[in-house]
């Protein structure tokens, strides 16, 4: 019923247009124009209709014999109107009087005889070969099914860009993208850039959602809060150190405890952070939709407390190039600043306490141990994110986008982690990324492994020694097998320097290398996700395998330990 009403309305519109033309140009009334009309009776003012599925291909249809079959891809069950018939569902055209082609591209809406964007997709008209103004005029006159269309807009002569799926589909709203004025697509407020993946200047990103920056009052309060928290932490650590020296206890110092707990907290943060992002990326359906919306709401409102630096100033916005420079400078900055502090303090002690050489030597020794501990701990904590920054600049971390569906000659290669950066302009950074891979990514864990091995040999422990035999050999086999072989007893400790002790103090002597294995696992996962992308099926498979490998090794070592003890 609806289709019949639509057909009648279409026919009436076309008929009125022809009547208007006949009144204005009576000398040409005998010649009908292109479309589903003809005129074989000079005495009649109105044009006659061609049969459904037929049209007059050139102006001047004088009989029904001039009505020919509509081209391929058109709907032959409707009247042609002022075109070569309407297109079938999911077909589109670039000429009003030529064939329609099937819409094969993803993210396209072809319900109105032309291509437009669906929500969640993006296309770019700024490349050579496309003209959004010409296409917009074509769409405007195609939607106007009357004789008043502009002949110059009868056909779109150039290419139509390919639609790309947005990483965050909510950012590509494409409100009214089926209309001529919004045919290029549009984004949600606060987004910009390629695939609308970046935040505007007055917004900051939380879980890939652009949030408006707070007002200056909240920013000032956060700065004050961070400063007070830092001062309070420093005072607390100094108080604990003085208390530890005063009572001269044999317990571990607070710095040692904090350094060992920071590793656990860091690993927990990395797991929880990935879990939060996974929850955010899940498309919740059915009864779970309410739960998903609640989780996202809590995530955003908790994390938005941490204001991003560029909300303070636009100069603090860091792209991947700036992050790379900072990451390379950070290790050198640590050693230079600590070395400068040490030598300044050394000069002060030598000239301030000339008569207490032994005390000066002891203080300098303690200072060296503390500085080495702090430096190594900072490098250890920042190692995974630094590797991530380095890997993000690899050529393999770039993604090539083809602008047109069947033309690969026009393309753009962008950095997957930052679509604002063109990979063709990052050659020098990519060379430095390869160099730092050897001198930092590979050498840092190897150096830690060498130092741990070196001090392990000095203790005289053997390959199968698990510490004090009195603490384990006299226990029943069942009790030994129930304990994790990785957890260290107080009687099992290896005598290693304080500044490297946090790497092995939580493990038994036999498993002194386990922290390096965990470090290698994190880096391997990072490079896989960075180079292949998290959406890649191979990445997911390899990541699961890498996660399960340490668990399997742990189980095998537990069995091996029980077997050794039974001997």
């Amino acid at each position: 019923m609806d289709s019949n009403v639509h057909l009648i309305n279409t026919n009436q519109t076309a008929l009125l247009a022809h009547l208007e033309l006949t009144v204005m140009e009576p000398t040409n009334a005998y010649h009908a124009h292109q479309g589903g009309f003809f005129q074989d009776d000079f005495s009649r003012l109105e044009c006659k209709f061609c049969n459904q599925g037929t049209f007059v291909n050139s102006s001047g249809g004088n009989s029904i014999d001039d009505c020919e079959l509509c081209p391929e891809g058109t709907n032959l069950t409707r009247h042609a109107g002022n075109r070569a018939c309407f297109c079938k569902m999911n077909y589109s055209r670039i000429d009003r009087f030529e064939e329609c082609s099937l819409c094969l591209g993803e993210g396209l809406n072809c319900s109105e005889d032309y291509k437009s964007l669906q929500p969640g997709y993006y296309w770019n008209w700024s490349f050579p070969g496309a003209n959004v103004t010409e296409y917009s005029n074509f769409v405007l006159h195609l939607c106007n099914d009357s004789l008043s269309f502009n002949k110059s807009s009868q056909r779109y002569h150039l290419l139509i860009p390919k639609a790309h799926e947005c990483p965050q589909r909510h950012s590509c709203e494409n409100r009214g993208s089926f209309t001529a004025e919004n045919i290029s697509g549009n984004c949600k407020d606060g987004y910009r850039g390629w695939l609308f993946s970046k935040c505007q200047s007055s917004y900051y990103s939380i879980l890939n959602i652009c949030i408006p920056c707070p007002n200056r009052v909240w920013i000032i309060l956060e700065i004050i809060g961070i400063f007070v928290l830092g001062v309070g932490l420093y005072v607390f650590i100094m108080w604990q150190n003085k208390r530890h020296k005063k009572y001269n206890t044999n317990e571990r110092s607070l710095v040692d405890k904090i350094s060992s707990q920071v590793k656990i907290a860091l690993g927990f943060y990395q797991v929880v952070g990935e879990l939060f992002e996974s929850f955010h990326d899940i498309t919740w359906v059915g009864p779970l939709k309410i739960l998903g919306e609640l989780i996202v709401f809590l995530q955003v409102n908790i994390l938005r407390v941490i204001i991003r630096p560029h909300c303070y100033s636009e100069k603090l916005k860091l792209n991947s190039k700036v992050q790379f420079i900072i990451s390379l400078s950070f290790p050198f900055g640590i050693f230079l600043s600590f070395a400068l502090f040490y030598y300044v303090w050394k000069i002060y002690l030598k000239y301030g306490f000339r008569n207490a050489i032994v005390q000066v030597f002891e203080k300098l020794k303690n200072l060296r141990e503390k500085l080495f501990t702090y430096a190594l701990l900072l490098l250890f904590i920042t190692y995974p994110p630094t590797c991530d920054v380095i890997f993000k600049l690899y050529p393999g971390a770039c993604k090539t986008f083809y602008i047109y569906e069947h033309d690969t000659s026009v393309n753009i290669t962008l950095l997957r982690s930052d679509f604002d950066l063109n990979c063709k302009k990052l050659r020098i950074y990519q060379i430095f990324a390869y160099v730092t891979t050897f001198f930092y990514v590979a050498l840092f864990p190897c150096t830690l492994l060498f130092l741990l091995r070196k001090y392990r040999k000095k203790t005289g422990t053997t390959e199968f020694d698990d510490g004090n035999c009195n603490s384990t050999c006299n226990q029943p086999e069942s009790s030994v097998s129930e304990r994790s072989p990785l957890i260290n007893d107080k009687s099992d400790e290896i005598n290693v320097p304080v500044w490297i002790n946090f790497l092995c103090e939580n493990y038994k002597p036999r498993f002194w290398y386990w922290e390096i294995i965990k470090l290698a696992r994190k880096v391997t996962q990072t490079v896989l996700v960075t180079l292949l992308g998290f959406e890649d099926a191979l990445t997911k498979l390899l990541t699961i395998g890498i996660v399960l490998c340490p668990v399997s090794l742990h189980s095998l070592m537990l069995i091996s330990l029980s077997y050794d003890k039974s001997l």
Side-chain angles (χ1 to χ4, degrees), residues 244-262:
H244 181 76
K245 292 179 180 179
K246 179 179 179 181
Y247 293 99
N248 195 21
T249 60
N250 293 325
E251 296 181 357
R252 295 167 58 195
S253 65
L254 183 64
V255 175
D256 293 338
K257 293 179 180 179
I258 291 177
S259 62
S260 61
Q261 296 301 321
V262 163

Side-chain angles (χ1 to χ4, degrees), residues 146-174:
S146 68
L147 289 178
S148 61
F149 69 89
N150 191 340
K151 289 291 185 180
S152 62
S153 301
Q154 173 180 319
R155 177 182 177 86
Y156 175 68
H157 301 85
L158 301 175
L159 298 174
I160 298 177
K162 179 182 178 181
H164 301 277
E165 185 177 4
C166 297
Q168 300 298 322
R169 301 193 64 173
H170 64 268
S171 64
C172 302
E173 281 192 337
N174 295 327

Side-chain angles (χ1 to χ4, degrees), residues 448-477:
L448 295 181
L449 189 66
F450 170 77
L451 292 174
L452 288 173
R453 178 73 178 179
K454 173 184 176 182
Y455 288 104
R456 177 180 174 276
K457 281 186 175 181
K458 287 185 178 181
T459 61
T461 55
T462 61
E463 184 68 23
F464 298 99
D465 185 16
D466 283 305
N468 191 344
C469 290
N470 294 329
S471 63
T472 55
C473 288
N474 295 329
Q475 296 180 3
E477 181 180 346

Side-chain angles (χ1 to χ4, degrees), residues 108-300:
L108 296 176
N109 178 11
C110 300
S111 60
E112 299 292 337
D113 281 19
Y114 58 89
K115 293 180 179 180
S116 62
L117 274 179
Q118 292 182 1
Y121 288 84
Y122 168 91
W123 56 13
N124 192 292
W125 291 82
S126 62
F127 290 85
N131 189 317
V132 67
T133 303
E134 181 180 339
Y135 188 69
S136 178
N137 291 332
F138 165 74
V139 170
L140 178 64
H141 290 90
L142 184 64
C143 293
N144 181 19
D145 191 38
S146 68
L147 289 178
S148 61
F149 69 89
N150 191 340
K151 289 291 185 180
S152 62
S153 301
Q154 173 180 319
R155 177 182 177 86
Y156 175 68
H157 301 85
L158 301 175
L159 298 174
I160 298 177
K162 179 182 178 181
H164 301 277
E165 185 177 4
C166 297
Q168 300 298 322
R169 301 193 64 173
H170 64 268
S171 64
C172 302
E173 281 192 337
N174 295 327
R175 297 184 301 271
S177 61
F178 55 88
T179 60
E181 56 270 17
N182 295 318
I183 197 68
S184 60
N186 50 71
C187 62
K188 192 175 181 179
D189 293 340
Y191 294 85
R192 65 166 185 85
W194 185 266
L195 300 183
F196 298 138
S197 59
K198 307 292 290 185
C199 293
Q200 294 180 2
S201 58
S202 58
Y203 289 76
Y204 65 101
S205 178
I206 295 178
L207 296 175
N208 297 319
I209 299 176
C210 291
I211 306 295
C213 289
N215 54 41
R216 295 291 179 181
V217 176
W218 286 107
I219 294 177
I220 294 173
L221 289 176
E222 180 168 290
I223 294 175
I224 295 174
I226 294 174
F227 178 77
V228 171
L229 182 63
V231 172
L233 182 62
Y234 175 77
V235 171
F236 176 74
I237 292 176
M238 296 301 295
W239 174 69
Q240 286 290 333
N241 284 338
K242 289 183 179 180
R243 183 174 177 272
H244 181 76
K245 292 179 180 179
K246 179 179 179 181
Y247 293 99
N248 195 21
T249 60
N250 293 325
E251 296 181 357
R252 295 167 58 195
S253 65
L254 183 64
V255 175
D256 293 338
K257 293 179 180 179
I258 291 177
S259 62
S260 61
Q261 296 301 321
V262 163
K263 297 185 302 177
I264 301 175
L266 183 63
F268 176 77
Y269 168 77
Q270 292 172 344
V271 173
V272 171
E274 294 177 357
L275 182 63
F276 272 11
E277 291 189 3
S278 300
F279 278 145
H280 174 68
D281 293 335
I282 292 175
T283 303
W284 302 89
V285 295
L288 296 178
K289 186 175 182 180
I290 299 176
L291 176 62
E293 292 176 352
L294 177 61
I295 291 175
V296 173
F297 175 79
L298 293 175
Q299 291 173 2
V300 173

Side-chain angles (χ1 to χ4, degrees), residues 42-90:
F42 183 75
S43 62
R44 296 172 60 93
L45 294 178
E46 68 276 7
C47 293
K48 295 182 179 180
F49 295 103
C50 293
N51 294 329
Q52 291 183 352
T54 61
F55 80 113
V56 176
N57 193 17
S58 59
S59 60
N62 299 326
S63 68
I64 195 171
D65 294 334
D66 293 329
C67 299
E68 59 185 74
L69 191 66
C70 287
E72 184 180 356
T74 56
N75 186 356
L76 303 182
T77 63
R78 293 180 59 182
H79 184 262
N82 289 291
R83 65 186 73 193
C85 290
F86 292 88
C87 293
K88 294 179 180 179
M89 183 60 67
N90 203 33

Side-chain angles (χ1 to χ4, degrees), residues 30 61 72 110 141 149 225 227 239 243 266 301 374 387 418 437 491 516-517 546:
Y30 190 79
E72 184 180 356
C110 300
H141 290 90
F149 69 89
F227 178 77
W239 174 69
R243 183 174 177 272
L266 183 63
N301 283 275
Y374 296 150
C387 292
D418 190 348
T437 299
S491 59
I516 309 302
I517 292 179
I546 293 171

Side-chain angles (χ1 to χ4, degrees), residues 466 472 475-487 508 510-511 513-514 549-567:
D466 283 305
T472 55
Q475 296 180 3
E477 181 180 346
S478 59
S479 64
V480 173
S481 62
E482 291 174 357
R483 296 171 54 208
S484 171
L486 303 179
I487 305 301
K508 288 187 174 181
R510 182 180 179 184
F511 306 101
Y513 53 84
W514 196 257
C549 277
V551 178
S552 302
L553 289 174
H554 185 280
S555 301
L556 291 174
M557 289 176 180
L558 184 61
I559 296 173
S560 176
L561 180 64
S562 301
Y563 175 76
D564 293 339
K565 293 300 181 183
S566 64
L567 293 177

